[in-house]
Amino acid sequence: VQLQASGGGLVQAGDSLRLSCVASGRPFGAYAWFRQAPGKEREFVAASTWRGEKKDYGDSVKGRFTISRDNRDNTMYLRMNDVKPEDTAVYYCAARGSWVPRSYSYAYWGQGTQVTVSS
């Protein structure tokens, strides 16, 4: 099983950015995005069932970020709109076998991609 995240970079406040995560190796029940800023604990960003019937977002990103997946090639996305300096962090994709609301216990993790938002 492999998760490969990409799409991070340096953007300005108010910009949009889309993170991608290619999943391979097996089907999953749920996937998620987390982030970790320097000196802070890992934070839940968004999660979805594999087929998208349930989605959940962290309070700090609700209304600005969208989690989705392309069925054709098992690529997971995190669309980030109206980004803010406080969104600066390393973003990680993750996947697990079943949906558990607000779980941090994911079996599979990507390597992380850095997002830096300048003011």
Side-chain angles (χ1 to χ4, degrees):
V1 175
Q2 274 195 319
L3 301 180
Q4 185 73 32
S6 62
L10 174 64
V11 295
Q12 293 187 329
D15 284 352
S16 295
L17 192 66
R18 190 179 74 168
L19 306 183
S20 301
C21 179
V22 179
S24 61
R26 55 157 289 175
F28 301 101
Y31 64 103
W33 290 91
F34 294 83
R35 67 187 182 186
Q36 189 163 19
K40 294 187 177 181
E41 295 185 352
R42 188 165 292 188
E43 178 187 6
F44 169 78
V45 175
S48 174
T49 52
W50 197 244
R51 291 183 292 182
E53 64 268 28
K54 296 180 182 178
K55 296 186 179 183
D56 189 20
Y57 295 91
D59 291 342
S60 61
V61 307
K62 200 172 294 183
R64 299 188 297 122
F65 291 10
T66 303
I67 189 172
S68 63
R69 185 176 72 86
D70 188 332
N71 291 328
R72 295 171 297 178
D73 59 5
N74 280 349
T75 300
M76 302 174 279
Y77 299 104
L78 182 70
R79 177 70 178 181
M80 306 166 62
N81 292 332
D82 189 24
V83 295
K84 303 175 181 181
E86 51 263 43
D87 294 323
T88 295
V90 177
Y91 283 72
Y92 298 89
C93 56
R96 57 177 291 150
S98 60
W99 168 262
V100 177
R102 295 291 175 107
S103 172
Y104 279 67
S105 298
Y106 280 74
Y108 307 102
W109 291 83
Q111 84 285 6
T113 184
Q114 175 71 47
V115 173
T116 303
V117 183
S118 63
S119 58

